[in-house]
């Protein structure tokens, strides 16, 4: 039987950890933390990440794919958006580019990091990672369109000086992002749901999609509801504790003489930990399609929900809102889209494709630190 059905959520460590992490968040919120307190908060953050992955899997087992990966992707992104808006409201002009930096980091981490790691793990298990090119290709096209509309065009528009949208342009970008996001969800969950289901490769080895986890009875509705609630608590704790340690991160970045954009990268890395772990575990079970659903779904949600939220928040936020990417990042985005398309089109990937994506992520992270 699977972990989700073998142990009760009411007696499992995954019940206690989100609550403890939430308590740590309450006591650390808005305070300058000493070094030992930062360490404790970081420990709670790590535990909340693991708990979030567990509860996401319980919910996914109950509702099935692609709804399971959708729950985790949307939940993480909604709270991530709240974190971005909160930091921008408190930070003034120095956070003018935070939304851009965090969203672009999320795109690079999901499309290269999560996707690349999942393909690598899937290929290691079965020599070739197999997935649905139709669904993954549609998701990648949506990511590329949203990224260009929201992060590339502001660099070239002329209605407002600098890499910024005018009010009308920001409104259009927000409406277009929401429309594309809604259309993608409709296609993924209703119209062409079969395009986003794991491919049956016939594998029976360890970690394959035909193991005990696939044949175990799904959790009860009550257990799934409890896990859904605990998933939300864990994700609030993840993002909230990430914000609690962000002053320490900002100070460390500043003391090291690194660009301020590194803060957005670190926040995105912390927030996307639950999805990364869930995607890798799915790939180990020969469910690479589920991993790609998480990767591209998270990227779509990150742009499709953040831009409308920022557009709405701009009504009361003061200071500039920098969305346009620099030429270096536009080159990395273009290369990511091209390489991803070549990876997705065949519907099969080897170690090479996974390695290429991970090298792209490494290049992005290195250039973020040393532009």
């Amino acid at each position: 039987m699977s972990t989700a059905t073998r142990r009760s959520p009411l007696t499992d460590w995954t019940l206690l950890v989100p609550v403890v992490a939430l308590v740590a968040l309450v006591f650390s919120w808005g305070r300058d933390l000493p070094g030992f307190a930062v360490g404790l908060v970081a420990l709670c953050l790590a535990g909340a990440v693991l708990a979030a992955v567990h509860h996401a899997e319980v919910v996914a087992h109950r509702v099935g794919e692609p709804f399971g990966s959708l729950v985790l992707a949307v939940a993480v992104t909604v709270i991530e958006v709240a974190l971005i808006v909160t930091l921008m409201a408190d930070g003034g002009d120095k956070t003018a580019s935070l939304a851009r930096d965090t969203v672009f980091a999320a795109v690079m981490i999901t499309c290269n990091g999560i996707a690349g790691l999942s393909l690598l793990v899937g290929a290691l298990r079965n020599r070739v990672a197999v997935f649905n090119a139709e669904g993954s290709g549609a998701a990648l096209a949506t990511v590329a369109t949203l990224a260009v509309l929201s992060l590339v065009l502001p660099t070239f528009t002329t209605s407002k000086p600098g890499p910024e949208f005018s009010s009308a342009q920001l409104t259009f970008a927000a409406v277009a992002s929401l429309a594309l996001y809604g259309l993608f969800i409709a296609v993924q969950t209703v119209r062409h749901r079969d395009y986003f289901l794991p491919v049956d490769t016939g594998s029976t080895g360890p970690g394959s999609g035909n193991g005990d986890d696939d044949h175990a009875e799904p959790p009860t509705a009550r257990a799934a509801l409890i896990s859904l609630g605990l998933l939300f608590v864990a994700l609030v704790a993840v993002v909230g504790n990430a914000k609690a340690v962000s002053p320490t991160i900002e100070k460390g970045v500043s003391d090291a003489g690194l660009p301020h954009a590194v803060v957005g990268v670190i926040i995105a890395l912390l927030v996307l930990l639950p999805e990364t772990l869930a995607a890798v575990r799915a790939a180990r079970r020969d469910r690479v399609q589920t991993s790609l659903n998480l990767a591209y779904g998270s990227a779509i949600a990150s742009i499709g929900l953040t831009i409308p939220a920022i557009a709405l928040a701009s009504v009361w936020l003061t200071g500039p809102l920098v969305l346009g990417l620099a030429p270096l990042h536009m080159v990395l985005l273009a290369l990511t889209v091209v390489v991803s398309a070549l990876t997705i089109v065949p519907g099969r990937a080897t170690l090479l494709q996974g390695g290429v994506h991970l090298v792209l992520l490494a290049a992005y992270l290195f250039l973020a630190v040393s532009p």
Side-chain angles (χ1 to χ4, degrees):
M1 293 179 66
S2 69
T3 302
T5 57
R6 184 168 58 244
R7 296 180 295 184
S8 170
L10 294 176
T11 58
D12 201 271
W13 64 271
T14 53
L15 169 64
L16 298 178
V17 169
V19 175
V20 171
L22 193 62
V23 171
L25 170 61
V26 171
F27 282 102
S28 63
W29 188 264
R31 294 180 172 87
D32 291 329
L33 302 178
F36 77 91
V38 172
L40 290 176
V41 171
L43 188 62
C44 290
L45 174 62
V49 166
L50 296 176
V53 173
H54 168 84
H55 292 299
E57 290 182 338
V58 173
V59 174
H61 195 196
R62 175 66 186 183
V63 302
E65 286 297 327
F67 298 99
S69 57
L70 179 64
V71 168
L72 181 58
V74 173
V76 168
T77 305
V78 167
I79 303 174
E80 176 192 353
V81 169
L83 172 62
I84 292 173
V85 173
T86 301
L87 290 174
M88 290 186 68
D90 295 341
D93 288 351
K94 71 176 184 178
T95 59
S97 63
L98 179 65
R100 177 199 67 187
D101 296 337
T102 306
V103 169
F104 182 63
V107 171
M108 296 301 290
I109 292 167
T110 53
C111 293
N112 288 318
I114 298 179
L117 194 57
S118 299
L119 294 175
L120 192 68
V121 171
L124 282 171
R125 304 295 293 182
N126 295 301
R127 294 183 62 85
V128 176
V130 182
F131 48 86
N132 280 312
E134 296 91 343
S136 299
L140 176 62
T142 307
V143 172
T145 302
L146 286 171
V148 171
L149 285 177
S150 303
L151 301 177
V152 175
L153 291 185
T155 303
F156 299 99
T157 54
T158 58
S159 297
K160 195 171 183 179
E164 301 178 44
F165 272 146
S166 66
S167 298
Q169 290 167 342
L170 183 59
T171 301
F172 170 79
V175 173
S177 297
L178 273 180
L180 273 177
Y181 181 70
L183 182 60
F184 173 76
I185 294 301
V187 168
Q188 183 186 34
T189 59
V190 181
R191 184 82 174 183
H192 297 287
R193 180 172 175 264
D194 54 315
Y195 287 177
F196 300 88
L197 297 179
V199 176
D200 184 7
T201 61
S203 173
T204 57
S208 73
N210 299 317
D212 291 339
D213 283 343
D214 293 304
H215 298 290
E217 289 295 324
T220 63
R222 178 175 177 271
L225 286 174
I226 291 174
S227 281
L228 183 62
L230 289 172
L231 171 62
F232 180 78
V233 171
L235 292 175
V236 169
V238 168
V239 181
N241 286 322
K243 182 182 186 301
V245 300
S246 63
T248 303
I249 294 173
E250 290 178 349
K251 185 177 185 302
V253 168
S254 177
D255 291 346
L258 299 175
H260 192 266
V262 173
V263 175
V265 175
I266 295 174
I267 289 174
L269 285 169
L270 290 173
V271 170
L272 289 170
L273 266 177
E275 288 154 309
T276 303
L277 293 178
V280 170
R281 292 180 68 170
R284 290 184 60 195
R285 294 175 178 144
D286 201 24
R287 293 171 173 265
V288 176
Q289 183 61 50
T290 299
S291 303
L292 294 180
N293 290 347
L294 278 167
Y296 295 133
S298 298
I300 293 169
S302 183
I303 306 174
L305 297 179
T306 299
I307 299 305
I310 293 299
L312 186 61
S314 65
V315 174
W316 72 83
L317 288 176
T318 58
L321 176 60
V322 176
L323 288 177
L325 294 173
L328 173 63
H329 288 161
M330 282 191 279
V331 170
L332 286 173
L333 177 62
L335 185 57
T336 295
V337 171
V338 171
V339 170
S340 297
L342 294 174
T343 297
I344 294 302
V345 166
R348 299 163 64 86
T350 65
L351 292 173
L352 177 60
Q353 282 93 340
V356 169
H357 283 286
L358 292 178
V359 167
L360 277 175
L361 176 65
Y364 163 69
L365 295 176
F366 174 78
L367 292 173
V369 174
S370 180

